[in-house]
């Protein structure tokens, strides 16, 4: 079927209906001119705020120019899938220093495969309707400015905490994109932001990773330190991390718009293996086989066993000096990994051992 013979407006409406039927909470369509977002990225990279995430600047213009990443692209279908796993009482975990705090998105199964499969199903549904067309699906796995595209597609605005915010859904959601060669009518971009004078996210950050509104220095961000950083966590930041062992949600927990976040109905995003209420000491005693078994299909695999122990050692160093905490640290004092030993030694020193 020729693109010239398509009712593109009707197709755009159908795409949104099909997307919602596949479990996406919001579907919008964006053009590919990202304008100021490209300059913001360049300033961020030039300031070195990406830390060791060299991939953020490794793809030339492809991140800012979708048609360079996927030739022929003229529109991007942006999709939102909510992940909040109901009442996990995770805010209370931050007040229980012997417990392990794991970011809410990582409590269940890894989102990449589930969301990508849904995006692929959407592309196949479009293809069944109009015949072959050019497309490529992305879920946080390629040089894509997903928040910028989502804003352009009307899904929300980029808040002071640098996350995409939606007035009806807060920020507890994943984003995905379907690059297409179909000149669909675009949605109205989110032209206004609704953070106002609020800076709760900036004030709450444990490590003061925000150098200003809309500006995050990843090198101080706990999510970066516990997930992306492959080397030792800077000593001066360790006490500030508290019991956060994989990611951090503080700037989301405190955001007023997350009062409107709705629990997901996706069973794959529900907590597994009791991770929403686990003791630091118990997790630290997992051997590698247990870690691999309990984290199969989980975002936690991203850290790997060695960095998982590194993160937990920091948490234990910040925990009360109880017998389980001290015994767990002593058990890893002579761990084969220099990285683990160094963080265990720091933790024991914190406890005066």
């Amino acid at each position: 079927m020729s693109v010239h013979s398509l009712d593109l407006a009707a197709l755009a409406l159908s795409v949104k209906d099909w997307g919602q039927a596949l479990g996406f909470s919001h579907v919008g369509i964006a053009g590919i001119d990202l304008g100021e977002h490209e300059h913001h990225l360049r300033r961020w990279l030039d300031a070195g705020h990406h830390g060791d995430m060299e991939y953020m600047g490794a793809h030339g213009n492809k991140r800012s120019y979708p048609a360079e990443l996927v030739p022929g692209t003229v529109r991007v279908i942006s999709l939102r899938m909510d992940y909040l796993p109901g009442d996990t009482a995770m805010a209370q975990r931050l007040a229980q220093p012997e417990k392990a705090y794991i970011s809410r998105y990582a409590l269940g199964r890894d989102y990449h495969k589930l969301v990508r499969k849904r995006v692929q199903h959407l592309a196949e549904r479009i293809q069944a309707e109009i015949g072959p067309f050019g497309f490529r699906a992305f879920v946080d796995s390629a040089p894509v400015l997903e928040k910028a595209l989502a804003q352009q597609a009307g899904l929300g605005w980029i808040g002071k905490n640098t996350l995409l915010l939606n007035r009806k859904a807060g920020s507890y959601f994943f984003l995905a994109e379907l690059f297409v060669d179909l000149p669909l009518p675009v949605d109205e971009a989110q032209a206004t932001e609704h953070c106002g004078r609020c800076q709760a996210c900036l004030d709450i950050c444990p490590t003061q990773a925000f150098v200003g509104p809309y500006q995050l220095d990843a090198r101080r961000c706990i999510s970066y330190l516990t997930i992306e950083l492959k080397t030792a966590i800077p000593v001066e930041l360790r006490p500030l991390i508290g019991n956060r062992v994989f990611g951090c949600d503080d700037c989301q927990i405190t955001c007023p718009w997350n009062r409107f976040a709705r629990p997901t109905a996706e069973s794959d995003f529900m907590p597994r293996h009791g991770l929403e209420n686990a003791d630091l000491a118990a997790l630290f005693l997992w051997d590698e086989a247990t870690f691999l078994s309990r984290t199969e299909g989980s975002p936690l695999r991203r850290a790997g066993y060695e960095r998982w122990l590194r993160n937990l050692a920091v948490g234990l160093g910040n925990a009360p000096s109880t017998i389980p905490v001290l015994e767990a640290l002593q058990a890893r004092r002579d761990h084969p990994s220099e990285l683990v030993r160094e963080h265990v030694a720091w933790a024991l020193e914190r406890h005066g051992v």
Side-chain angles (χ1 to χ4, degrees):
M1 184 181 294
S2 167
V3 69
H4 301 294
S5 64
L6 291 174
D7 183 341
L8 294 169
L11 179 60
L13 291 174
S14 294
V15 165
K16 294 173 184 178
D17 289 340
W18 298 332
Q20 291 189 345
L22 286 166
F24 292 102
S25 304
H26 196 165
V27 182
I29 300 169
I32 58 173
D33 181 2
L34 295 178
E36 177 58 27
H37 295 285
E38 176 193 0
H39 302 302
H40 180 82
L41 172 64
R42 182 50 53 193
R43 290 193 296 269
W44 186 72
L45 291 169
D46 289 345
H49 289 161
H50 58 303
D52 290 343
M53 296 184 290
E54 298 297 336
Y55 60 84
M56 290 299 300
H59 300 280
N61 292 328
K62 289 182 178 180
R63 195 174 293 273
S64 305
Y65 294 90
E68 290 196 16
L69 179 61
V70 182
T73 298
V74 296
R75 295 289 186 268
V76 175
I77 300 171
S78 180
L79 308 109
R80 182 192 103 214
M81 183 173 286
D82 301 337
Y83 68 74
L84 187 65
D87 183 14
T88 55
M90 294 305 285
Q92 287 94 305
R93 296 293 170 265
L94 292 172
Q96 298 173 293
E98 75 284 359
K99 297 288 185 181
Y101 186 90
I102 295 171
S103 185
R104 286 171 170 175
Y105 87 89
L107 291 173
R109 289 189 176 276
D110 194 327
Y111 62 94
H112 289 88
K113 288 184 179 179
L114 181 146
V115 180
R116 184 188 298 279
K117 188 178 293 185
R118 302 287 178 88
V119 180
Q120 183 67 29
H121 286 335
L122 177 60
E124 292 168 358
R125 181 65 184 84
I126 298 171
Q127 196 160 263
E129 183 74 16
I130 69 170
F133 72 103
F135 68 87
R136 188 170 170 189
F138 295 103
V139 182
D140 191 23
S141 58
V144 176
L145 288 180
E146 59 178 10
K147 290 179 291 186
L149 288 165
Q151 181 182 6
Q152 294 288 85
L155 271 63
W157 74 96
I158 298 175
K160 291 181 182 178
N161 61 3
T162 74
L163 299 175
L164 192 80
L165 303 178
N166 183 285
R167 293 180 73 174
K168 296 181 180 179
S171 61
Y172 291 114
F173 50 75
F174 302 122
L175 294 172
E177 299 77 40
L178 186 64
F179 285 32
V180 300
D181 63 359
L182 303 170
L184 299 167
V186 299
D187 287 297
E188 185 175 352
Q190 178 85 43
T192 57
E193 57 96 0
H194 300 279
C195 292
R197 296 181 179 178
C198 178
Q199 58 176 33
C201 57
L202 310 186
D203 295 337
I204 200 69
C205 180
T207 55
Q208 295 299 291
F210 295 103
V211 295
Y214 318 103
Q215 300 176 66
L216 174 71
D217 185 345
R219 295 169 298 184
R220 296 185 65 86
C221 175
I222 293 174
S223 289
Y224 169 83
L225 295 169
T226 57
I227 301 173
E228 298 285 349
L229 184 66
K230 294 180 172 58
T231 54
I233 294 173
V235 173
E236 68 274 15
L237 296 180
R238 294 177 195 177
L240 307 178
I241 290 175
N243 60 345
R244 301 164 185 83
V245 300
F246 190 90
C248 178
D249 290 323
D250 285 45
C251 66
Q252 299 194 86
I253 291 171
T254 193
C255 178
W257 291 110
N258 272 320
R259 289 176 297 179
F260 305 106
R262 299 175 182 176
T264 181
E266 293 292 340
S267 59
D268 276 359
F269 297 155
M270 298 303 161
R272 300 194 302 162
H273 303 302
L275 288 172
E276 76 280 17
N277 189 34
D279 290 337
L280 289 163
L283 296 180
F284 197 58
L285 294 177
W286 283 2
D287 59 20
E288 188 166 12
T290 303
F291 171 79
L292 293 174
S293 172
R294 299 284 177 87
T295 62
E296 185 175 1
S298 163
L300 298 177
R301 277 282 182 94
R302 177 120 181 240
Y305 183 58
E306 183 183 34
R307 286 188 284 150
W308 170 248
L309 293 179
R310 174 200 66 181
N311 298 346
L312 286 164
V314 171
L316 288 165
N318 295 324
S321 299
T322 63
I323 291 176
V325 166
L326 296 177
E327 287 182 345
L329 287 168
Q330 292 280 15
R332 299 289 189 199
R333 193 168 209 162
D334 297 318
H335 192 274
S337 164
E338 181 182 351
L339 182 68
V340 174
R341 289 199 308 274
E342 192 261 312
H343 287 76
V344 168
W346 172 86
L348 287 169
E349 185 178 352
R350 292 266 289 174
H351 291 292
V353 177

